[in-house]
Amino acid sequence: MNQNIEKFIIKPGSKVNLKKFDTSYNGKLQKEEAKSELEIIHQKMSDMQYKIHAEKKQALLIVLQAMDAGGKDGTIRDVMYGFNPQGCKVKSFRAPNDVEINHDYLWRVHMVIPARGEIGILNRSHYGDVLVVRVHNLVPPKQWSKRYEHINNFEKMLTDEGVRVLKLFLHISKEEQRKRLYKRLENPLKHWKVDEADFEERKFWNDYVKAHEQMLEKCSKPWSPWYVIPGDKKWYRNLLVGQIITKTLEDMNPKMPKSTINVAKFKGQYQ
Ligand code: ATP
Ligand code: MG
């Protein structure tokens, strides 16, 4: 089933009002349909990753951002297992540690940018430095307000050097977040995951919405646009993310390198 994925892109330069997005959109699909479609997508992801790896000229960087309980972990688990773990690394970003805090905020991100031929997934990213940092004034506005431009330049440099930057904002409603946090409280196996900060941060929901809107407006660029993914229905989110990743890898159009041996000659010898 071919979804029109272009419509989930934030057009560079456009205004963003997150309230206008339907977080429970499901593409008129049924859950079972979407699940079997995802299996086909997994195969395609794997085939394309093989080519990217063989070509060794480009890398794919997948940036995942979302509110708490927005589904970053679930997306990584359910969608990314289409990839061969040998060529795929995941890095989760929390508040900077003692070493990181003494560097510029892009330092820790630059260190984990995937090498040519590889795929990298960022579970939270440099965007934390214009989200949580902005909401809680962890650095003065004079400082964080300059970061949008740094980030755009950084991502442009990566793009020019062969790293495709794919940015996905998993967008859930406030009500869906409430349900998910409550579910974690109900299930003893999920208690370890419950963090007081999640409930505290929820009080800043509107500030986070504003910060995300600014991020989407200022940093959706032709070379690395932001996608807003309807996130309330996990099965639809998974399918859409899988489709966008596949389409991006296809766009990258990796070319299989020529063999270094005379294949016909060896075939003759080993028949
Ligand atoms: P879940 O959605 O499952 O709770 P999570 O991504 O919130 O997962 P946690 O380890 O619970 O993972 O939280 C990471 C924390 O790190 C978040 O509270 C986030 O705000 C914080 N963080 C990320 N980047 C920065 C940053 N640059 N400065 C300060 N805090 C940050
Ligand atoms: Mg958390």
Side-chain angles (χ1 to χ4, degrees):
M1 212 146 310
N2 240 339
Q3 305 263 347
N4 171 17
I5 59 171
E6 305 292 315
K7 72 175 188 184
F8 300 98
I9 290 180
I10 298 296
K11 273 209 200 85
S14 63
K15 280 257 155 229
V16 179
N17 178 353
L18 280 175
K19 277 208 194 88
K20 288 196 175 153
F21 290 74
D22 178 6
T23 53
S24 64
Y25 181 79
N26 67 7
K28 299 196 180 105
L29 289 175
Q30 302 295 319
K31 189 173 179 175
E32 288 316 311
E33 238 179 318
K35 280 192 163 173
S36 58
E37 187 70 20
L38 184 59
E39 308 228 327
I40 300 168
I41 289 288
H42 279 148
Q43 190 54 52
K44 287 189 182 166
M45 284 166 64
S46 165
D47 293 347
M48 290 310 298
Q49 182 192 15
Y50 182 78
K51 291 184 181 168
I52 292 278
H53 174 71
E55 183 199 47
K56 271 209 174 31
K57 291 207 168 133
Q58 309 176 75
L60 174 64
L61 178 73
I62 303 171
V63 175
L64 286 176
Q65 287 291 155
M67 297 281 203
D68 284 310
K72 300 181 298 302
D73 294 333
T75 302
I76 293 168
R77 185 191 57 223
D78 298 339
V79 184
M80 310 305 175
Y81 81 74
F83 288 137
N84 176 345
Q86 279 210 89
C88 176
K89 285 197 196 101
V90 182
K91 172 72 187 168
S92 300
F93 286 99
R94 312 180 119 214
N97 64 27
D98 291 349
V99 177
E100 291 165 346
I101 200 79
N102 286 320
H103 287 267
D104 69 87
Y105 67 98
L106 289 175
W107 178 77
R108 62 178 185 164
V109 181
H110 206 166
M111 281 204 295
V112 299
I113 297 298
R116 296 188 176 97
E118 289 183 356
I119 294 171
I121 299 164
L122 305 188
N123 179 350
R124 299 191 188 263
S125 65
H126 42 301
Y127 284 98
D129 293 285
V130 289
L131 293 167
V132 58
V133 167
R134 171 182 167 143
V135 168
H136 293 293
N137 269 309
L138 302 180
V139 305
K142 205 173 107 220
Q143 196 175 347
W144 59 249
S145 59
K146 291 184 185 155
R147 291 181 171 174
Y148 300 99
E149 198 186 340
H150 305 154
I151 290 174
N152 289 334
N153 289 333
F154 175 60
E155 292 179 358
K156 178 75 169 71
M157 180 280 288
L158 293 177
T159 309
D160 291 345
E161 292 293 318
V163 182
R164 176 67 84 98
V165 185
L166 173 62
K167 302 181 299 198
L168 307 172
F169 171 56
L170 312 177
H171 182 25
I172 56 166
S173 67
K174 195 173 181 190
E175 173 57 14
E176 180 65 20
Q177 188 194 54
R178 189 194 62 75
K179 281 190 201 154
R180 290 186 188 180
L181 293 178
Y182 184 73
K183 255 192 170 165
R184 290 182 187 178
L185 293 174
E186 266 190 323
N187 179 353
L189 283 175
K190 292 239 167 140
H191 286 175
W192 69 273
K193 223 176 155 43
V194 181
D195 189 345
E196 208 175 320
D198 294 342
F199 296 89
E200 280 304 307
E201 290 301 272
R202 193 171 152 74
K203 296 179 189 154
F204 294 91
W205 179 271
N206 290 338
D207 295 331
Y208 272 108
V209 168
K210 176 119 193 287
H212 279 95
E213 287 174 344
Q214 290 277 295
M215 167 192 90
L216 296 167
E217 281 179 17
K218 291 178 187 286
C219 299
S220 198
K221 294 289 167 191
W223 58 87
S224 59
W226 267 106
Y227 287 79
V228 176
I229 309 295
D232 287 357
K233 297 209 163 50
K234 293 175 182 172
W235 50 268
Y236 180 71
R237 170 203 76 201
N238 290 344
L239 177 61
L240 184 58
V241 169
Q243 285 172 326
I244 292 172
I245 291 172
T246 306
K247 171 78 172 29
T248 305
L249 288 166
E250 285 169 357
D251 276 357
M252 288 165 73
N253 194 20
K255 307 268 187 316
M256 293 301 280
K258 287 211 171 71
S259 172
T260 54
I261 60 162
N262 180 340
V263 175
K265 185 179 142 203
F266 279 93
K267 261 173 119 178
Q269 279 179 17
Y270 285 92
Q271 251 167 7

